[in-house]
Amino acid sequence: MTKKTIREYDGPAGGWDSLRSVAKHLMAQDVAVRGARTLLSMNQPDGFDCPGCAWPDRDHASTFEFCENGAKAVAAESTRHRAGPQLFARYTVAQLAGYSDHWLEDQGRLTTPMRYDAASDRYLPVQWDQAFALIARHLNGLDSPDQAIFYTSGRTSNEAAFLYQLFVRAFGTNNFPDCSNMCHEPSGVALKQQIGVGKGTVSLQDFEQADAILIFGQNPGTNHPRMLGELRDAAKRGAAIVSFNPLRERGLERFADPKDKLEMLHSGSTRISSDYFQLKIGGDLAAIKGMIKHVLERDAEALARGDASLLDRDFIAAHTTGFDAFAADVAAEPWPTIVEESGLAEAQLRRAGDIYLQSERVIACWGMGITQHKHSVATIHMIVNLLLLRGNLGRPGAGACPVRGHSNVQGDRTMMIYEKPPQEFLDRLRDVFGFEPPRAEGYDTIGAIEAMGDGRAKVFFGMGGNFATATPDTAATHRALRNCDLTVHVTTKLNRSHLVHGREALILPCLGRTEIDVQAGGPQAVTVEDSMSMVHLSAGINPPAADGLLSEPAIVARLAEAVLGTRNAIRWRWLTEDYDRIRDLIARTFDEFHDFNTRVRVPGGFRLPNTARDRIWVNPAGRAVFNPHPVPTDNPIHRARVRRADMPVFNLSTLRSHDQYNTTVYGLDDRYRGVFGERRVVFAHSDDIAALGLGAGDWVDLESLADDGVRRTARRFMLVAYDIPRGCLAAYYPETNALVPLSSFADEARTPTSKSIPVIATPHQPRPDASAPAPRDIPAALVR
Ligand SMILES: Nc1nc2c(c(=O)[nH]1)N[C@H]1C(S)=C(S)[C@@H](COP(=O)(O)OP(=O)(O)OC[C@H]3O[C@@H](n4cnc5c(=O)[nH]c(N)nc54)[C@H](O)[C@@H]3O)O[C@H]1N2
Ligand SMILES: Nc1nc2c(c(=O)[nH]1)N[C@H]1C(S)=C(S)[C@@H](COP(=O)(O)OP(=O)(O)OC[C@H]3O[C@@H](n4cnc5c(=O)[nH]c(N)nc54)[C@H](O)[C@@H]3O)O[C@H]1N2
Ligand SMILES: [Mo]
C-alpha cells in the first residue's frame, strides 16, 4: 500500500507516470501478461468496447489508444483473483461488512451463484435453477408487479438491456431506476425540452473543427482520459479550450500523450486549457448568464454603431423561439448578483464572453459538476441558450456535448431502461410482442429508495452496479434495502450492496465484457452506444472467469422463463442462443435500428440519427427554445447559511479520485491532486482551514445542513489545502454519500444534489462509544 503523503503534483496528466500506474495495477491483479494482450484488443474492430467510460473512440479504432483508466477498468475485470464459495465460507456477512469497499473489490471475480442463509449469516452456493425459482416465487407472490424494483447500471449491453426491459414490462411494471437518475438525467430532460433530443449533438469530427471548446464541471484527465487526446489536438491547432471548474484539475492544464513518442522521450507536454475559470461550486448558471449578458451588451453596441449583429440573427429567426423574453431577462439580471453567485469577477466573465464571440464554431461539454445540483436543468438550459445565440448547434464544429459516464448508459436509455416510457413506445411494444405493457410511470432511484423504505416495494433486483453505495443518504438507503423481502444482484464482483441485503438475498455472477460469451449459436458479440450516439459491436477475448458464469442476456432469459412460464409467447431462451435474434427484435421495435445486424457489422458501426443535429426540432414548440432562468439565490446552500450564521457553512462537492471507478476503489491514490495512500480527505482553501482554527493535516467531521432538519454526518476527513475558492469543499464519493439528503435533488430531473451539499466542519471527535460495535447497516469505514 502507498505511504500516506500529500504533495503537489507538478507533472502533466498522462506521461510516464500514467504507464507506471497501469503496470502497477496489472501486477496487482496478476494479469501482467494476459492483461497487456487484453489491452491491445480494446476498442478494436473485432475486440471489446472499453468498459471504462462512454467517450467514443476514433472509428472504433484501428490504432491502439492508450488510456490509463481504461486499462485499470480492464485489469480490474480480468483479475486472476477469485471470490469463490471458499471466501463466503470463511466469513459471515457481518464480518464481510466490516471490510472496506476496496478490500471487497480486491477479493476478485465472483464464480458461483450464492444464496443468503440467515441461520449462519453466510452466503451459500445455490444452483442457478433454484435461484431463478426463488426469484419467481417472490415476484409471483407480490400483490402487484409495482412492488418490485429493477435497477440497471450503465455497463449493461443493448441486448441485455432490451431483453431486461421486455421481461420487466411483460411482468408488469415500469420500475426502472438506473444510474442515469444519479448522473446525466438533467441533460436528457433539459435537452429534450429545448432541442427535442435528450442526447448530445456533436461527433469527434466536430472536435477537429471547433474554434472553442468550453468544458463545464468535468475532469477528463481522470474520468475520460481519451478525451484529452482530442483536446490536445485542438489545443495544438490553436483552438481555445476554456475550463470552468472550482478545482484546479491537472488533466485540464497539461497532458503528455503516451502515444506520442517524441513528447514522451523529451518529457514534453501540451497545454490544454487556454483559460481556466475557478468559479464557485454551483456557480455555473450565474457564470454563463454573465457571459450571455456580455455577448448581448456587445451586440447592442455593434448594432448601435450600425455594424452587423454579433448574433446569428437568421438562425434565431428561423429556428428558435423565446429570444426576446430571454434577452429581457438577461438584461434585468444585475451584474453584482452574477458576480456574487458565480464567484468570478465581471472582467473574467466578459473575457469568457469575448472568447465565445471570437470563435466561429463552439462546442460546450459538461459533466457531473453541472448535473448534480438543484438547478442542474436550468444550468444546462443556460449552456444551450449560449450556444443558440450564435447558431452553434447543428453545424460542423459546434454543438452540445454532455459527456456520459458508464460505457453503455446512453444505450440502456435508448433501449428504454426508463421509468417514464413514452406511450408511443409502449404501443409499439404491444404491437410487436402482443402483450399490454404497464402504462403508469415507475420509480426512479429516489422513488425506489422511498418505496423500499416504507414497504411499498418488497423485491430489489440489480442488473449490475452498487446501489447501496452509489445512492444518496447511506443510512436511509441501507434501511430501505434491509426492509426488502428479497434483494438480488447480477454482478461481476463483490460489493457492499450484497452485504446490505433483504430477508432473502442472491448474488448472481455474470460474464464481463472482456470475456468470450459462447451460446448455443457460437461465440456472441453485444452492442453498445457511446456518448456520441455511435453503436458498435463488442466481443470479449478472454476465457470466462469461471465455469458456469452466465451472460446477462442468458440470466434475463432464464429468469423470464421462470417468472412468466407460458404467460407469454416470447421464446426467451431461443433468443439468447444467437444475439442476432435479439437485435432483430430491437430493429422491429425501434425504427432507428433498422437493418441492425447488417449495419452494426460495418467496421465502426453506425450513428443513430439526431434530429437537432439536422436542425429539426421535435419538441412541442417545433423550435429550439431560449429558456430564461434567474440566478438562483435561494438554494439549500443559501438557506443553510442563513440558518447557521454563527459559523462557516461550506458548499461540499463530492467527486472521483484518479484511482476509482465510481464505487469501485482500485487504490488509495489521487495522483493528479497530489494525494497518496488516503481517501478520507477534504480539499479546502488554506484561508478557510485557518479560519476554522485548524491546519492542513488536521482531521474534521462533516455534518450536512439539510432543509429537512435530519442530522447526517460523515466522520474523520483530513484537511488538504487546495486551490479551490473560499467557501467550497471537495471530498470523494462514496465516502461522503451519507451526507446527501434523499430529499435534495435537481428540479425536474431528481438527480441527487451530490455536488452541492451545505456542510459544517468541526474538529474530529472520536466516537464517544468507540468500543461499542457500529450499527451493522453503516459501513465500518464511515464511522471509525
Ligand atoms: N476512471 C474513471 N472513469 C470514469 C468514472 C470513474 O469513476 N472513474 N465514472 C464514470 C461516470 S459514471 C461518470 S458520470 C463520469 C464522471 O466524470 P466527471 O463528470 O468528470 O465526474 P466527477 O469526478 O464527479 O467531477 C466532475 C468535475 O466537476 C467539478 N465540479 C464540482 N462541482 C462543480 C461545479 O459546481 N461547477 C463546475 N463547473 N465544476 C464542478 C469537479 O471539480 C470535477 O473536476 O466518468 C465516467 N468515467
Ligand atoms: N455522492 C455522489 N454519488 C454519486 C455520484 C457522485 O458524483 N457523487 N455519481 C453518480 C453516478 S454519475 C453514477 S453513474 C452512479 C454509479 O452507480 P452504479 O452504476 O450503481 O455503481 P458502480 O460503482 O459503477 O457499479 C460497480 C459494480 O458494478 C458491477 N459490475 C461491473 N461490471 C459489470 C458487468 O459487466 N455486469 C454486471 N452485471 N455488473 C458489473 C460490479 O459488481 C461493481 O461492483 O453513482 C452516482 N453516485
Ligand atoms: Mo455516471
Side-chain angles (χ1 to χ4, degrees):
M1 189 175 292
T2 334
K3 203 167 138 269
K4 188 190 303 185
T5 37
I6 310 292
R7 59 181 141 88
E8 205 172 321
Y9 182 79
D10 51 10
W16 293 111
D17 283 347
S18 184
L19 293 174
R20 268 183 215 112
S21 162
V22 167
K24 190 178 104 186
H25 280 88
L26 288 174
M27 297 279 274
Q29 303 300 335
D30 298 330
V31 290
V33 177
R34 198 179 72 196
R37 192 155 33 85
T38 309
L39 291 184
L40 289 172
S41 76
M42 181 155 79
N43 294 339
Q44 296 300 298
D46 54 354
F48 60 90
D49 183 69
C50 176
C53 70
W55 187 257
D57 39 87
R58 292 235 152 239
D59 310 320
H60 204 53
S62 44
T63 52
F64 167 63
E65 260 194 294
F66 174 82
C67 168
E68 176 187 338
N69 279 346
K72 283 188 218 157
V74 168
E77 188 173 293
S78 40
T79 176
R80 279 191 203 277
H81 304 178
R82 294 292 175 269
Q86 303 82 342
L87 175 80
F88 295 96
R90 211 159 44 238
Y91 299 100
T92 64
V93 169
Q95 286 168 336
L96 287 172
Y99 284 93
S100 70
D101 293 342
H102 180 43
W103 186 90
L104 296 176
E105 149 79 21
D106 214 33
Q107 300 314 297
R109 289 289 298 277
L110 293 158
T111 63
T112 314
M114 306 296 294
R115 176 181 179 174
Y116 181 66
D117 173 56
S120 61
D121 187 36
R122 276 177 218 276
Y123 274 102
L124 306 176
V126 62
Q127 300 291 320
W128 280 105
D129 280 337
Q130 289 169 359
F132 293 128
L134 177 69
I135 305 172
R137 204 158 61 238
H138 275 274
L139 290 179
N140 289 328
L142 294 173
D143 298 331
S144 150
D146 290 330
Q147 290 177 327
I149 281 164
F150 297 89
Y151 177 69
T152 315
S153 167
R155 276 201 192 177
T156 300
S157 66
N158 288 334
E159 289 73 8
F162 181 80
L163 273 197
Y164 184 49
Q165 66 78 33
L166 186 62
F167 155 62
V168 171
R169 293 198 164 103
F171 171 66
T173 181
N174 286 313
N175 285 343
F176 284 111
D178 70 345
C179 69
S180 206
N181 295 150
M182 298 179 266
C183 186
H184 265 293
E185 195 71 56
S187 307
V189 170
L191 291 173
K192 184 94 189 123
Q193 294 169 350
Q194 235 174 338
I195 61 171
V197 265
K199 299 182 183 182
T201 66
V202 298
S203 69
L204 283 183
Q205 285 66 40
D206 292 318
F207 274 78
E208 290 166 10
Q209 298 176 46
D211 301 311
I213 300 170
L214 315 179
I215 303 176
F216 297 96
Q218 228 207 306
N219 183 22
T222 287
N223 297 318
H224 303 90
R226 284 177 299 118
M227 180 176 174
L228 288 190
E230 304 301 328
L231 296 179
R232 169 180 180 269
D233 291 350
K236 276 191 186 299
R237 63 176 173 74
I241 296 182
V242 187
S243 293
F244 295 82
N245 200 309
L247 275 73
R248 280 264 159 199
E249 300 284 27
R250 198 81 280 238
L252 290 168
E253 297 185 309
R254 300 203 76 82
F255 175 52
D257 191 343
K259 272 190 331 210
D260 185 330
K261 293 205 179 62
L262 265 182
E263 206 165 71
M264 294 294 279
L265 202 61
H266 299 290
S267 294
S269 62
T270 306
R271 187 172 85 160
I272 298 295
S273 294
S274 48
D275 291 85
Y276 205 115
F277 295 107
Q278 278 181 276
L279 75 189
K280 284 207 276 202
I281 289 170
D284 301 79
L285 190 153
I288 302 160
K289 200 165 181 183
M291 289 170 72
I292 294 174
K293 195 173 170 72
H294 174 75
V295 168
L296 293 180
E297 286 175 9
R298 286 286 175 273
D299 180 58
E301 290 158 16
L303 293 177
R305 281 195 306 270
D307 291 348
S309 173
L310 303 178
L311 310 184
D312 186 342
R313 296 272 172 184
D314 293 342
F315 174 82
I316 292 174
H319 288 285
T320 71
T321 177
F323 174 73
D324 291 340
F326 171 71
D329 175 75
V330 172
E333 188 76 65
W335 274 111
T337 310
I338 291 173
V339 167
E340 169 63 24
E341 296 300 322
S342 68
L344 297 174
E346 185 178 325
Q348 288 177 294
L349 293 169
R350 290 193 183 277
R351 154 106 191 117
D354 279 333
I355 298 172
Y356 178 74
L357 278 172
Q358 286 150 12
S359 307
E360 189 53 37
R361 292 166 291 258
V362 179
I363 292 177
C365 308
W366 67 92
M368 296 301 102
I370 293 295
T371 63
Q372 298 174 335
H373 301 281
K374 177 131 193 338
H375 54 297
S376 291
V377 170
T379 305
I380 296 160
H381 281 161
M382 208 53 77
I383 294 175
V384 174
N385 291 335
L386 176 69
L387 292 174
L388 291 178
L389 287 178
R390 285 169 50 88
N392 276 306
L393 261 186
R395 64 181 168 88
C401 183
V403 182
R404 303 271 165 176
H406 267 296
S407 50
N408 198 40
V409 63
Q410 187 160 316
D412 289 346
R413 191 49 77 77
T414 305
M415 293 295 116
M416 281 295 155
I417 299 293
Y418 191 22
E419 73 280 1
K420 295 187 208 121
Q423 295 300 320
E424 315 82 77
F425 161 74
L426 297 175
D427 292 345
R428 188 68 170 262
L429 218 52
R430 175 198 61 208
D431 297 345
V432 174
F433 294 98
F435 68 85
E436 185 52 51
R439 297 280 168 170
E441 276 183 18
Y443 298 130
D444 60 8
T445 293
I446 289 177
I449 296 168
E450 290 167 345
M452 291 187 283
D454 64 22
R456 275 173 294 141
K458 297 178 184 312
V459 174
F460 176 92
F461 186 99
M463 181 56 90
N466 187 357
F467 193 87
T469 305
T471 49
D473 228 339
T474 310
T477 299
H478 286 197
R479 272 196 303 277
L481 285 167
R482 290 195 187 287
N483 202 24
C484 286
D485 290 338
L486 175 70
T487 49
V488 184
H489 294 275
V490 179
T491 178
T492 50
K493 288 199 164 173
L494 185 60
N495 67 42
R496 188 146 320 270
S497 297
H498 314 144
L499 310 176
V500 183
H501 55 79
R503 277 171 281 282
E504 297 208 74
L506 288 164
I507 303 175
L508 305 180
C510 67
L511 290 174
R513 195 180 283 173
T514 54
E515 286 155 339
I516 303 167
D517 176 359
V518 179
Q519 303 293 333
Q524 303 297 316
V526 293
T527 62
V528 294
E529 174 186 341
D530 66 32
S531 203
M532 297 183 186
S533 306
M534 288 296 298
V535 179
H536 51 71
L537 283 169
S538 169
I541 58 148
N542 287 334
D547 291 339
L549 291 185
L550 295 184
S551 73
E552 290 180 355
I555 290 175
V556 176
R558 290 180 60 174
L559 178 62
E561 279 188 355
V563 175
L564 302 174
T566 53
R567 245 155 69 192
N568 193 284
I570 299 163
R571 297 167 66 195
W572 301 99
R573 258 206 245 207
W574 177 82
L575 286 174
T576 57
E577 286 172 3
D578 179 350
Y579 296 174
D580 275 5
R581 296 172 184 163
I582 308 176
R583 283 187 284 271
D584 282 339
L585 289 181
I586 294 174
R588 283 173 57 198
T589 308
F590 304 100
D591 292 337
E592 71 229 54
F593 281 87
H594 68 87
D595 302 308
F596 191 5
N597 275 309
T598 316
R599 289 196 297 154
V600 83
R601 285 190 165 81
V602 175
F606 62 94
R607 181 183 303 284
L608 290 171
N610 182 304
T611 40
R613 198 176 159 78
D614 300 329
R615 295 194 165 179
I616 298 166
W617 319 100
V618 288
N619 53 5
R623 281 164 170 258
V625 184
F626 279 102
N627 268 307
H629 290 283
V631 170
T633 52
D634 187 27
N635 270 347
I637 181 66
H638 303 99
R639 294 195 286 269
R641 284 187 172 139
V642 171
R643 282 199 305 274
R644 287 304 293 266
D646 58 316
M647 62 195 302
V649 175
F650 298 96
N651 209 359
L652 168 74
S653 193
T654 62
L655 31 86
R656 291 153 172 80
S657 82
H658 195 60
D659 273 2
Q660 75 183 85
Y661 192 91
N662 296 340
T663 68
T664 301
V665 175
Y666 301 136
L668 303 182
D669 298 349
D670 192 6
R671 193 168 78 240
Y672 299 153
R673 299 195 186 108
V675 175
F676 299 88
E678 179 62 61
R679 282 183 57 86
R680 300 193 74 83
V681 296
V682 55
F683 300 99
H685 193 287
S686 52
D687 292 349
D688 279 332
I689 297 179
L692 287 171
L694 297 169
D698 286 345
W699 295 81
V700 291
D701 295 335
L702 300 173
E703 177 179 340
S704 62
L705 302 177
D707 288 340
D708 64 12
V710 176
R711 185 146 190 253
R712 296 176 181 84
T713 53
R715 305 166 63 81
R716 219 182 63 93
F717 291 85
M718 190 172 81
L719 286 164
V720 172
Y722 204 79
D723 192 351
I724 182 174
R726 287 207 65 180
C728 299
L729 299 179
Y732 301 133
Y733 135 69
E735 282 82 350
T736 41
N737 284 40
L739 297 170
V740 188
L742 201 56
S743 55
S744 176
F745 45 75
D747 296 333
E748 296 185 83
R750 290 167 55 89
T751 329
T753 53
S754 35
K755 290 282 189 285
S756 46
I757 315 167
V759 296
I760 51 175
T762 47
H764 171 58
Q765 303 288 338
R767 279 167 14 102
D769 54 341
S771 56
R776 237 186 83 194
D777 60 342
I778 307 293
L782 290 178
V783 289
R784 268 186 298 168

